[in-house]
Amino acid sequence: MSKLARNIPIARPTLGEGEVSAARRAILSGWITQGPEVDAFEKEFAEFVGAPHACAVSNCTTALHLALHALGVGPGDEVITVSHSYIATANAVRYCGARPVFVDIDPRTFNIDPDLIEQAITPRTRVILPVHQIGLPCDLHSILSIAGRHGLRVVEDAACAIGSQIQTAGNWGRIGQPHGTVACFSFHPRKVLTTGDGGMITTRDPNLDRMFRLLRQHGMSVPDTVRHSAKAVIFEEYPLVGFNYRMTDIQAAVGRAQLERLPGMIERRVELAHRYSDALSEIPGLTIPWIPNGRRTNFQSYAVRVGPAFPMSRDELMQALLERGISTRRGIMNSHQEPAYAEYSAARLPCSVAARDQVILLPLYDSLEEDDQRYVIDSLHELATGPHRGGK
Ligand SMILES: Cc1ncc(COP(=O)(O)O)c(C=O)c1O
């Protein structure tokens, strides 16, 4: 194939006849929002991650908002999190009227550096909100022990981490059991499992789960599923101010079909990621992902750091790859560098800033053809042998 004929996207959701017939089933059932398909998806999701409770919502941003709100986070409170995440993480804290307190990342994992958490704790801290960035579990055990010492709750931003695992006392467990108080997932098309848009909140606490269910549907005391099957007239009440964060049955039906594919999708991503790592590890100036012992990533994204020893800058590399028909993305953003967070612009988060500026995400999706991946790898090797920046 000629170089110009290539058009390799950064990501592509895996959707097929299974999802089409699931959506059709929901549409023709006559019940298309927060009904039986949502119930079934919640049960199957809970079973997959090993959680006692799973509550479906409209996306992961609303999941994070509900989680923090249900834990009582409000004005005057602080939530310790990272700037180095999609802006939704920090925004969810802001929705509660609380203040995100940004801690820097470990440059090797792109996740919150547990060694920096304790110095950020104040009497106003209520929650630690770590992110399992691009699918790699953060150092949950260290975070949980800090939270335990200070009486704080841990809300896991697991937007990208469905199917990722951590080891506890020798046993592997999926993210979302959850290990903290609550875990929040995203089903956006850039994630491994997609429902178009969608989210899930898991917890071990039945009272919190009840609160999520109330809050996701306007605070309505009797769910539609109960009213519709009741033999006597029931009137609902609205004991508190809730939100409309419902998931539709069409999305849930698609999610159920995606769950069936999930183990295979993750296996394929891991295989492709290892192929990248084997082929790129020797290129001077490129740093391949580092997976610490006791953690397994679903490789939601494949991130490579472009260091000074590489002949071109990260941005030049992205452009050169684009000219060869290969789409890439820059690394994860930092909220504190965005205008919406201007009051944080002086924050000292050097590892977050370096990660945003140096990291490139390579194409990774389970239908990525081996020939296309070989082309990406060969292109990186060719560009690595070019003249060094500044002609040196
Ligand atoms: C780490 C992280 N948190 C939260 C979100 C928000 O997820 P959603 O788009 O489902 O609201 C994303 C989405 O990209 C994310 O990557």
Side-chain angles (χ1 to χ4, degrees):
M1 194 187 289
S2 90
K3 283 179 179 179
L4 289 176
R6 304 266 181 171
N7 184 10
I8 305 175
I10 180 75
R12 179 179 283 155
T14 306
L15 296 162
E17 288 307 321
E19 287 76 9
V20 171
S21 66
R24 182 183 159 81
R25 179 182 73 227
I27 290 166
L28 296 180
S29 75
W31 195 326
I32 54 170
T33 199
Q34 205 172 275
E37 293 285 351
V38 170
D39 272 355
F41 184 36
E42 288 174 342
K43 288 192 180 76
E44 288 160 14
F45 189 94
E47 192 178 336
F48 178 79
V49 298
H53 306 283
C55 175
V57 289
S58 48
N59 55 62
C60 184
T61 312
T62 54
L64 290 166
H65 181 207
L66 279 198
L68 296 170
H69 185 77
L71 289 173
V73 172
D77 292 336
E78 291 178 352
V79 173
I80 292 179
T81 187
V82 282
S83 167
H84 191 63
S85 181
Y86 188 58
I87 198 164
T89 309
N91 282 350
V93 178
R94 283 263 184 100
Y95 296 164
C96 298
R99 207 176 88 82
V101 173
F102 295 134
V103 165
D104 211 356
I105 54 164
D106 176 335
R108 298 166 304 167
T109 62
F110 308 113
N111 280 325
I112 194 165
D113 183 343
D115 291 341
L116 302 176
I117 292 179
E118 226 144 5
Q119 65 203 55
I121 295 174
T122 75
R124 291 180 296 283
T125 309
R126 297 288 298 274
V127 167
I128 304 176
L129 172 53
V131 181
H132 303 300
Q133 199 52 265
I134 60 172
L136 178 66
C138 64
D139 183 357
L140 266 178
H141 296 307
S142 302
I143 294 166
L144 289 172
S145 84
I146 295 166
R149 281 202 296 280
H150 294 269
L152 302 172
R153 306 291 201 111
V154 174
V155 173
E156 301 169 51
D157 182 339
C160 304
I162 187 166
S164 298
Q165 299 179 40
I166 62 165
Q167 210 175 19
T168 308
N171 298 317
W172 287 99
R174 291 204 169 105
I175 293 297
Q177 298 188 338
H179 297 82
T181 309
V182 181
C184 300
F185 293 85
S186 171
F187 307 135
H188 180 270
R190 278 295 301 279
K191 307 301 186 264
V192 179
L193 180 154
T194 188
T195 60
D197 257 314
M200 193 71 79
I201 321 177
T202 62
T203 183
R204 294 175 179 281
D205 181 338
N207 294 325
L208 269 180
D209 182 61
R210 260 193 296 280
M211 188 59 107
F212 299 149
R213 287 167 196 285
L214 259 183
L215 287 170
R216 75 172 164 180
Q217 196 179 11
H218 306 286
M220 187 193 284
S221 63
V222 186
D224 290 341
T225 34
V226 173
R227 275 191 296 144
H228 282 273
S229 56
K231 296 283 176 277
V233 172
I234 321 180
F235 295 116
E236 77 280 14
E237 285 184 336
Y238 296 83
L240 42 78
V241 176
F243 308 90
N244 177 359
Y245 288 170
R246 285 187 293 254
M247 175 182 275
T248 70
D249 268 40
I250 304 167
Q251 291 167 302
V254 170
R256 296 177 68 193
Q258 287 270 286
L259 259 187
E260 281 178 27
R261 291 181 188 271
L262 186 59
M265 291 197 288
I266 294 174
E267 198 179 313
R268 173 78 181 140
R269 295 177 89 90
V270 171
E271 185 189 320
L272 289 164
H274 285 159
R275 195 168 301 146
Y276 268 139
S277 291
D278 289 345
L280 303 178
S281 62
E282 301 300 325
I283 298 184
L286 287 191
T287 309
I288 60 168
W290 180 65
I291 317 297
N293 284 336
R295 294 183 236 175
R296 287 180 181 155
T297 173
N298 62 7
F299 279 106
Q300 181 266 336
S301 290
Y302 187 88
V304 178
R305 191 186 286 269
V306 184
F310 198 78
M312 52 179 74
S313 72
R314 189 275 311 265
D315 296 4
E316 288 165 345
L317 176 58
M318 288 179 74
Q319 184 60 36
L321 290 170
L322 190 61
E323 284 162 14
R324 291 167 180 241
I326 301 167
S327 289
T328 59
R329 292 288 179 274
R330 67 173 186 175
I332 305 303
M333 63 174 295
N334 291 321
S335 295
H336 81 283
Q337 294 181 285
E338 293 300 319
Y341 285 78
E343 72 270 32
Y344 291 83
S345 59
R348 251 193 57 73
L349 301 163
C351 298
S352 301
V353 171
R356 188 194 81 150
D357 293 346
Q358 295 174 349
V359 170
I360 177 173
L361 306 181
L362 299 181
L364 185 69
Y365 41 91
D366 68 325
S367 57
L368 178 61
E369 301 280 345
E370 285 174 23
D371 179 52
D372 280 343
Q373 187 183 29
R374 174 49 51 197
Y375 175 69
V376 176
I377 290 168
D378 290 348
S379 297
L380 285 163
H381 276 278
E382 278 171 38
L383 293 164
T385 55
H388 200 276
R389 350 181 165 176
K392 276 181 244 161

